[in-house]
Amino acid sequence: MVALTFPKSSTPGSVPGEGAGRLVNCYWSLDGDRPRLGPVPGLVPFGAVAAGPRGFLLVGSLLYVAVKDALYTVNAAGVATLVGILSGSGPVTMARNNRSPSPDIVIVTEDGPFIATTGGVSDYPDPDVNTPTSVAFLDGYFLFSYGDGTIRASGLNTTELNDQSFTKAESKPDGLIRGITKNGQYIALGPTSTEFYSNAGTQPFPLARAEVSDTGLFGRWAVAGFEDGWDRPWFSVASDRTVCRWDGYTPTRVSTREVERSIASITDPDSLRMCVYGFGGNAVVSLSGPDFTWEYHVTAGRWFERESYGADRWRGERSVNAFNRWLVGDLRSTSIMAVSETARREGPDPLVCTMEAIGPTFPQGARLNDMRVEITTGQGRAEGLDPIETDPVALISWSLDGGGTFGNPVERSLGKQGEFGRTVRVGSLGRARGAGVRVRIEVSDPVPFSLYADDVGRLGMRKG
C-alpha cells in the first residue's frame, strides 16, 4: 500500500497535470499533532439591505452599511433601515470620531466625501476637504489621504478643517491611494511606498512621520487586517504583486507562486478585494479578483481556494466584526451574510469542498486497487433533509494520466447518523499508464467532516 499526498496549500498549477494538488473550500490545519483537512465556514443571512456591498462601519449599536446608491443602518437583530442616498457604486472608506453624545460619521466614495447621521447623508461641510482618496480615524482626528501625497487632519473630534493642518508624504513622489490606522499609527499607502505616522501632539498638524517602507500598495482595496476585532497583523498586495504580512514596519512575503499568478492576471489593480474574517479560533485573509478567490489561513500559514457555487470566486466581499460575529457583503443577494463555522451552505447554495491528492508514478500496466480514504463518517442526521443530510456521500474520481483528465466520479456513503467507523473505499482504479495518479474527493452534502492528511488515502497495487 502506498499513501496519497494532499497538499498543505492549494497548488493547482497553470495547466492540467501541473501542481501538487488542490484545496477548494477546505483548509489544512492540525488536530493536536495530526494534520487534517476540513471545510471552510458557511454563510447564513443576517439582514437584508440592497445589492452591491461597498463598506461597513459599526457605531454603537448600529451597523452602517453602504451599498449601491444608498446607506442603511442595521441593528443587532438584522433589521435594516434606509438612511438615505449615497451616490456611487464602488467601495468606500468610513470613519467615526469620539464626539459626544453623537459621533460624526464620514464616508469617502468615488464621488467625494459625505457626512452621515441616522437621519440622512449630506455633503462634507468644510470645502477645504476637496477630493480625498480615503478617510481614517486616529486619536480624535479624521485623517484624509490625497492623490498628490497630502495627508490632512480635522480638528479634534470635529469635522472642521484648518487649512494649515496637513503634511506631505514625500519619501517618494507617488501620491497616496489609501490611508488606514493600525496599532495606534496612521499608515499612508502609495503605489511604491508606505509611510507610518504617530501622534506627536503638534499643531496645527498633529502627526509626525515615524518610518518609511519602499513597499507600496498594488490596489486601493487590496489591504486588510486593520478592522476592529482583528488582532493579527495587517496584510496587503504589494506593489510587486505579492501578498505581504506586516509585522511592525516590516513586510514579509506570504504568497505562493499560484497566488501571485492570479494577481499577475489582474489588469485593473482596483478590481482586487481583500478582507478578513475569523471562526472558531481561525483567522483568514480573503483576496478576490474578478475570477478567483485565494484565502490565507493565518494560523496555519497556508493558502486555499474559495469558490461559491457556480462561480469562480467567493460571493463574500468587505467584512466587519459586529454583534459578536464576522459579517460580509453578499454579491449574489441583498443580504448581509454572517460567517458561521456550523453552517455547511452559503445561504441556499451548496458549499462544495474539493480535495485533490497526488500519488506516485506506477509502472505502465500496473493494476491499482483498493483505495481507502480516512474521513469521518456517521455524521448524517436522521431528522435532516433527505438525502443530503440523512445519508451524505462523497464523490471520488481519479486520473491515471497525471491530472490531464479525470473519470466520472463514483459515489461513496459517509454514513447515516451513528454509522461511525464506516470504511470509505474504491475497489479498483484501473491500470496505470506510466503517469502520476491523482485522486479528487468532493463533499457537498451539508454535514461536518474531517479528512486526515497523515493517512488520507491508501492505494494498493499489483502487477498484471
Side-chain angles (χ1 to χ4, degrees):
M1 302 289 284
V2 295
L4 298 169
T5 302
F6 278 70
K8 295 180 179 179
S9 284
S10 191
T11 53
S14 59
V15 296
E18 284 190 353
R22 295 185 70 184
L23 302 177
V24 183
N25 295 333
C26 57
Y27 65 96
W28 184 95
S29 64
L30 290 173
D31 272 350
D33 294 328
R34 193 177 187 191
R36 67 177 284 272
L37 302 177
V40 296
L43 299 174
V44 296
F46 174 72
V49 282
R54 302 173 65 191
F56 299 100
L57 179 67
L58 184 65
V59 181
S61 60
L62 290 177
L63 178 65
Y64 283 77
V65 183
V67 297
K68 186 179 183 224
D69 296 325
L71 182 70
Y72 288 81
T73 59
V74 178
N75 65 19
V79 177
T81 302
L82 178 64
V83 173
I85 295 173
L86 180 65
S87 64
S89 59
V92 303
T93 55
M94 308 171 73
R96 54 154 293 177
N97 63 12
N98 294 328
R99 188 169 72 89
S100 181
S102 299
D104 298 304
I105 300 169
V106 176
I107 306 172
V108 170
T109 80
E110 70 266 39
D111 293 331
F114 299 90
I115 293 288
T117 67
T118 55
V121 180
S122 57
D123 292 337
Y124 196 89
D126 193 321
D128 287 334
V129 71
N130 293 320
T131 55
T133 57
S134 70
V135 63
F137 171 79
L138 179 68
D139 295 346
Y141 302 99
F142 287 120
L143 298 167
F144 298 94
S145 63
Y146 296 83
D148 65 354
T150 298
I151 305 168
R152 188 176 295 280
S154 72
L156 187 64
N157 291 316
T158 179
T159 58
E160 295 179 1
L161 297 172
N162 181 333
D163 62 5
Q164 298 302 306
S165 183
F166 71 93
T167 192
K168 279 287 188 76
E170 294 184 315
S171 64
K172 289 190 176 181
D174 56 341
L176 295 177
I177 57 177
R178 186 74 185 271
I180 63 172
T181 54
K182 178 77 173 179
N183 298 327
Q185 288 190 310
Y186 179 72
I187 304 168
L189 296 145
T192 60
S193 65
T194 299
E195 299 190 4
F196 298 80
Y197 291 80
S198 299
N199 186 358
T202 51
Q203 293 296 329
F205 186 74
L207 307 185
R209 193 170 74 184
E211 189 60 72
V212 173
S213 169
D214 287 337
T215 298
L217 180 65
F218 179 58
R220 182 179 304 183
W221 312 113
V223 56
F226 54 87
E227 295 86 349
D228 290 339
W230 178 265
D231 59 359
R232 310 301 177 97
W234 62 283
F235 293 77
S236 68
V237 177
S239 44
D240 64 356
R241 303 193 183 193
T242 63
V243 179
C244 290
R245 182 190 70 239
W246 289 81
D247 300 293
Y249 303 129
T250 304
T252 301
R253 173 182 174 267
V254 297
S255 50
T256 62
R257 185 166 64 100
E258 287 75 19
V259 175
E260 291 161 8
R261 185 185 298 119
S262 294
I263 297 172
S265 71
I266 295 296
T267 56
D268 176 11
D270 286 346
S271 68
L272 282 175
R273 303 284 188 268
M274 184 179 279
C275 66
V276 296
Y277 65 86
F279 66 99
N282 300 280
V284 175
V285 178
S286 184
L287 174 66
S288 294
D291 59 359
F292 67 85
T293 296
W294 282 97
E295 298 203 327
Y296 182 66
H297 191 288
V298 178
T299 312
R302 307 292 178 180
W303 288 90
F304 57 92
E305 301 169 74
R306 183 149 189 170
E307 296 177 355
S308 291
Y309 187 66
D312 294 326
R313 59 154 291 176
W314 187 36
R315 64 195 291 169
E317 190 164 295
R318 316 290 284 176
S319 65
V320 64
N321 187 270
F323 314 125
N324 299 313
R325 66 191 77 188
W326 281 97
L327 304 174
V328 297
D330 186 20
L331 294 176
R332 288 193 171 182
S333 74
T334 60
S335 291
I336 301 167
M337 291 289 197
V339 176
S340 172
E341 184 178 13
T342 59
R344 293 292 176 261
R345 287 177 169 273
E346 292 185 333
D349 295 333
L351 185 59
V352 183
C353 301
T354 302
M355 298 151 282
E356 188 177 305
I358 61 172
T361 301
F362 291 95
Q364 182 79 25
R367 182 176 293 278
L368 308 177
N369 64 310
D370 196 31
M371 185 185 74
R372 304 190 181 198
V373 177
E374 181 77 12
I375 189 170
T376 51
T377 58
Q379 301 302 312
R381 296 192 303 117
E383 73 282 7
L385 187 64
D386 189 44
I388 60 174
E389 290 180 302
T390 60
D391 192 9
V393 300
L395 299 179
I396 303 175
S397 58
W398 55 92
S399 169
L400 300 178
D401 59 6
T405 58
F406 281 79
N408 293 328
V410 297
E411 188 177 283
R412 291 295 182 265
S413 174
L414 295 179
K416 297 180 181 180
Q417 183 171 318
E419 291 184 352
F420 307 118
R422 187 184 186 96
T423 299
V424 177
R425 63 184 291 271
V426 176
S428 176
L429 277 67
R431 293 182 181 275
R433 305 176 191 172
V437 177
R438 297 189 180 226
V439 174
R440 180 180 294 158
I441 301 170
E442 294 181 343
V443 179
S444 60
D445 289 346
V447 296
F449 74 89
S450 292
L451 195 151
Y452 287 96
D454 59 348
D455 193 19
V456 171
R458 299 285 177 178
L459 270 175
M461 181 196 76
R462 64 183 176 87
K463 296 181 179 180

